[in-house]
């Protein structure tokens, strides 16, 4: 199993904590965000390899039990480009694959539970509003919104969904792709990114392909007739994007 942690961003809104550290290495009391992730990673029962998609301050990741893949375009691109670039460098890319943001804390069993699912699956929170109470530095516009049907399948997702939708779920930042889907997923990503002229063109709900989010690609997959299941987490997670978030997390963990 391949596990990819997206950890290339500068984390500007966490300054001064990120002045000399990448965001996942910021400490929440005694442990870093990355330490919490490793607890969940180590709980996966199957054989697995951890890949860090790095960029900003990549030299701070110094252990040898994971593999680093440095994205030289990290300053001018977003999550989806980072995912494609990382996958393009993997030797064994057609394995069961978990993809996770690097600034979230979630229950330890979650990755293990995901690894046993049979379909492409994303983690969503139907109670996401609770996380935005008093969160003045990271508001509703920052939420990666999902519309889910009665069968718990994804209909559409993006940070930039039209405001007329009322019932949203929030994409937590974790996706699982069984290996039987990986050849086609890789093919679609290559079709998008290998032609450099595509990078500046709009993609789904984002201003350009190079600035696109994982949720834009999830919507693209639905458009390509992929079924994407949702696994609900019911508020039991935390995103650390700002100093305000970090202070709140330190009161919880």
């Amino acid at each position: 199993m391949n596990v990819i942690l997206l950890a290339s961003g500068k984390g500007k809104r966490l300054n001064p904590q990120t002045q000399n550290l990448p965001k996942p290495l910021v400490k929440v009391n005694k442990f870093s965000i990355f330490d919490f992730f490793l607890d969940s990673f180590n709980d996966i029962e199957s054989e697995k390899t951890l890949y860090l998609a790095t960029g900003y301050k990549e030299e701070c990741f110094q252990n040898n039990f994971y593999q680093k893949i440095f994205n030289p375009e990290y300053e001018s691109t977003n999550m989806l480009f980072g995912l494609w670039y990382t996958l393009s460098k993997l030797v064994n890319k057609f394995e069961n694959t978990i993809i996770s943001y690097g600034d979230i804390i979630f229950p330890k069993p979650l990755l293990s539970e995901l690894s046993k699912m049979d379909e492409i699956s994303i983690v969503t929170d139907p109670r996401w509003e609770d996380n935005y109470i008093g969160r003045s530095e990271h508001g509703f516009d920052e939420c990666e919104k999902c519309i889910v049907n009665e069968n718990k399948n994804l209909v559409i997702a993006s940070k930039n969904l039209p405001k007329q939708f009322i019932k949203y779920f929030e994409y937590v930042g974790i996706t699982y792709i069984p290996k039987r889907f990986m050849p086609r997923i890789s093919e679609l990503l290559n079709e998008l990114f290998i032609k450099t002229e595509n990078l500046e063109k709009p993609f789904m709900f984002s201003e350009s392909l190079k600035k696109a989010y994982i949720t834009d690609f999830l919507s693209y997959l639905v458009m390509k007739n992929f079924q994407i299941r949702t696994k609900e987490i019911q508020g039991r997670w935390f995103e650390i994007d700002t100093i305000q978030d970090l202070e709140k997390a330190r009161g919880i963990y």
Side-chain angles (χ1 to χ4, degrees):
M1 169 171 290
N2 294 330
V3 180
I4 298 172
L5 185 72
L6 300 172
S8 64
K10 285 189 170 183
K12 292 180 181 178
R13 289 191 286 187
L14 267 175
N15 267 327
Q17 298 290 328
T18 50
Q19 187 172 346
N20 298 304
L21 285 175
K23 191 192 289 190
L25 295 183
V26 170
K27 286 205 168 183
V28 180
N29 297 318
K30 292 183 179 180
F31 301 102
S32 69
I33 302 169
F34 187 41
D35 289 331
F36 286 98
F37 176 83
L38 288 177
D39 265 357
S40 189
F41 170 79
N42 291 329
D43 203 48
I44 298 172
E45 295 169 8
S46 58
E47 185 177 342
K48 68 265 187 187
T49 303
L50 176 58
Y51 297 93
L52 301 191
T54 62
Y56 176 71
K57 299 292 182 184
E58 63 94 22
E59 68 278 4
C60 294
F61 293 104
Q62 295 181 343
N63 289 318
N64 57 12
F65 63 86
Y66 48 74
Q67 298 185 37
K68 296 190 293 184
I69 298 177
F70 176 74
N71 171 15
E73 306 294 329
Y74 77 90
E75 291 193 78
S76 60
T77 58
N78 208 342
M79 295 284 197
L80 186 58
F81 182 95
L83 173 60
W84 165 73
Y85 186 86
T86 302
L87 284 173
S88 73
K89 301 298 181 183
L90 299 190
V91 175
N92 300 313
K93 64 184 69 176
F94 301 145
E95 300 290 337
N96 294 332
T97 301
I98 291 175
I99 303 146
S100 176
Y101 290 173
D103 61 354
I104 52 176
I105 297 175
F106 48 85
K108 181 178 178 179
L110 181 59
L111 297 187
S112 179
E113 292 168 3
L114 269 182
S115 71
K116 297 169 185 172
M117 298 185 77
D118 295 325
E119 301 295 330
I120 299 176
S121 304
I122 62 172
V123 182
T124 60
D125 183 3
R127 292 176 46 201
W128 61 271
E129 293 99 333
D130 295 348
N131 285 342
Y132 286 82
I133 296 172
R135 201 178 181 192
S136 58
E137 295 177 7
H138 183 114
F140 172 76
D141 288 343
E142 299 289 333
C143 170
E144 290 195 72
K145 310 163 192 70
C146 300
I147 303 295
V148 176
N149 66 20
E150 64 276 6
N151 296 318
K152 303 297 185 184
N153 293 327
L154 181 69
V155 175
I156 196 168
S158 177
K159 181 178 284 192
N160 302 311
L161 283 182
K163 294 183 184 299
Q164 63 260 36
F165 290 118
I166 344 175
K167 180 58 180 173
Y168 285 113
F169 285 43
E170 181 169 10
Y171 174 60
V172 167
I174 306 173
T175 299
Y176 172 64
I177 307 172
K179 62 182 178 181
R180 71 180 186 276
F181 297 105
M182 285 303 298
R184 181 59 178 151
I185 297 289
S186 296
E187 182 182 34
L188 287 172
L189 284 169
N190 284 335
E191 287 174 2
L192 289 170
F193 283 100
I194 282 178
K195 294 182 179 179
T196 55
E197 62 267 26
N198 287 344
L199 292 179
E200 301 296 340
K201 294 178 181 178
F203 178 70
M204 301 305 289
F205 293 92
S206 286
E207 63 183 36
S208 67
L209 178 61
K210 74 177 185 178
K211 293 292 188 180
Y213 293 87
I214 301 292
T215 41
D216 290 309
F217 187 62
L218 294 173
S219 292
Y220 184 71
L221 291 179
V222 172
M223 191 176 73
K224 293 286 186 180
N225 297 317
F226 283 82
Q227 177 177 280
I228 299 177
R229 300 286 295 166
T230 60
K231 179 177 176 59
E232 296 180 8
I233 198 171
Q234 299 285 349
R236 296 175 298 116
W237 68 289
F238 204 88
E239 178 186 20
I240 300 174
D241 189 61
T242 67
I243 291 295
Q244 187 180 62
D245 293 338
L246 181 60
E247 291 172 352
K248 185 174 180 179
R250 285 173 171 169
I252 297 172
Y253 298 98

